[in-house]
Amino acid sequence: VPALIQALQNPDANVRGSAAGALGSIGEGSEDVVPALIQTLKDPDSHVRHSVAEALGQIRSKDAVPALSQTLKDPDSHVRHSAVEALGQIRSKDAVSALTQALQDKAGFVRISVIETLRQIGTSEALKSVNKYQESLIQALQNSSPEVRADAAEALGQMGSADAVPALTQILKDPDSWVRAAATEALQSIDARL
């Protein structure tokens, strides 16, 4: 383990990423490596930061929650996604506030992961955030922009909530074929989950 911690400082990004992955594979109970991994979350290489976030999730240390919460603002969407997934594995209510803010992430796959993570955490605050986000998407189905309506329909389908079915059914009559197609796909996705 000490050699792997030292490898996190290697000049080669591939070595740093592999070391993080190896430390993560040790899994729960390897709390002593968490401080070194947290430091490496600031690595200049996005692939290394991605590997570090995954490793912290595998270790499931609550000590990593503040650093992972900060990583939700990383410039790389894949790193942000890994941080969300790691927070989902840790399931700490201390992450709910940062995750709620991450519902505004510009990357759709990150937002969907945030919703799943908030559901996993399962506190009333976490579930309230998911419900408020879903309500904002349902409202977006009335937006004047067909692109916004279609994106909202797609996101509602990915959320998989039956609560969205009435609103999605309404936009099956939308004048824009792209919106109708998104609503149809969303309803099929929801139906597949029920």
Side-chain angles (χ1 to χ4, degrees):
V1 173
L4 289 173
I5 292 174
Q6 187 153 6
L8 292 172
Q9 305 301 317
N10 191 290
D12 184 337
N14 291 324
V15 172
R16 294 192 307 273
S18 295
L23 288 168
S25 68
I26 296 170
E28 290 183 71
S30 51
E31 301 283 325
D32 52 328
V33 304
V34 170
L37 286 169
I38 288 172
Q39 281 298 321
T40 312
L41 269 176
K42 299 173 186 152
D43 195 278
D45 187 279
S46 63
H47 298 293
V48 173
R49 295 191 308 274
H50 170 80
S51 295
V52 169
E54 285 184 340
L56 288 167
Q58 291 171 314
I59 294 169
R60 293 189 168 107
S61 171
K62 293 199 185 305
D63 293 342
V65 170
L68 287 167
S69 294
Q70 282 298 311
T71 305
L72 297 175
K73 298 173 186 168
D74 193 276
D76 186 282
S77 60
H78 296 284
V79 174
R80 294 192 307 272
H81 182 260
S82 293
V84 170
E85 295 287 311
L87 289 167
Q89 290 173 297
I90 297 169
R91 295 187 185 192
S92 171
K93 63 181 175 49
D94 296 333
V96 171
S97 177
L99 286 163
T100 299
Q101 291 176 4
L103 283 169
Q104 303 306 315
D105 196 285
K106 58 185 171 268
F109 72 101
V110 174
R111 291 191 306 269
I112 296 304
S113 186
V114 169
I115 290 164
E116 292 168 6
T117 295
L118 285 167
R119 285 180 176 157
Q120 287 172 344
I121 292 172
T123 64
S124 61
E125 181 186 358
L127 297 176
K128 184 177 174 185
S129 293
V130 171
N131 290 336
K132 281 179 75 173
Y133 180 66
Q134 179 174 296
E135 288 170 18
S136 73
L137 290 173
I138 289 172
Q139 288 175 351
L141 293 175
Q142 304 304 316
N143 192 286
S144 61
S145 165
E147 184 177 346
V148 171
R149 294 193 306 272
D151 287 348
E154 182 181 339
L156 286 164
Q158 290 170 335
M159 286 182 74
S161 173
D163 295 339
V165 170
L168 287 166
T169 303
Q170 283 291 334
I171 66 163
L172 288 173
K173 300 171 189 158
D174 195 278
D176 188 282
S177 63
W178 185 28
V179 175
R180 291 192 306 270
T184 301
E185 286 181 34
L187 288 166
Q188 289 171 341
S189 178
I190 292 168
D191 186 50
R193 292 181 185 210
L194 298 178

